[in-house]
Amino acid sequence: MAAPLSVRLEFGGGAELLFNGIRKHQVTLPSQQEPWDIRNLLVWIKENLLKERPELFVQGDSVRPGILVLINDADWELMGELDYQLQEQDNVVFISTLHGG
């Protein structure tokens, strides 16, 4: 059983507007059977933090194309993307590169 996990989430590039304009969130993820990974985190974010227009943040079980994800300042593609297992005090940043115009 995975213990509760404290992580920092940041949203930028306009993505914060989907979260009541709040850019930084320190959250404690609850205990669960399997270890927390980015895939589980996205479900948790959608159910607990996302305030509006989920289609602008998630697509299927991943983030929408155009959202850059950094895990501890490294591109998530280098970290295993959805399968990356979160660690205590990880910093996960979501930056929207999609802009109207």
Side-chain angles (χ1 to χ4, degrees):
M1 181 114 169
L5 196 62
S6 179
V7 296
R8 182 175 176 175
L9 306 176
E10 295 184 44
F11 303 93
E16 69 277 6
L17 299 175
L18 304 174
F19 299 88
N20 279 347
I22 300 171
R23 296 178 67 95
K24 297 179 181 181
H25 301 257
Q26 185 70 40
V27 301
T28 300
L29 304 171
S31 296
Q32 65 175 20
Q33 285 300 106
E34 67 268 0
W36 279 97
D37 59 20
I38 297 293
R39 183 178 283 107
N40 302 132
L41 175 65
L42 289 173
V43 171
W44 187 90
I45 288 172
K46 185 176 176 183
E47 293 174 352
N48 295 279
L49 289 181
L50 190 58
K51 300 301 181 193
E52 58 183 89
R53 305 195 57 192
E55 71 277 5
L56 295 180
F57 186 70
V58 292
Q59 184 173 356
D61 67 349
S62 189
V63 291
R64 179 183 169 143
I67 295 184
L68 176 65
V69 182
L70 301 174
I71 301 168
N72 301 322
D73 297 323
D75 189 326
W76 77 323
E77 291 179 359
L78 303 173
M79 308 293 284
E81 296 184 355
L82 293 171
D83 296 323
Y84 172 78
Q85 289 192 358
L86 292 165
Q87 306 297 313
E88 185 71 19
Q89 297 302 318
D90 272 351
N91 188 43
V92 184
V93 181
F94 301 89
I95 301 171
S96 176
T97 61
L98 306 171
H99 303 283

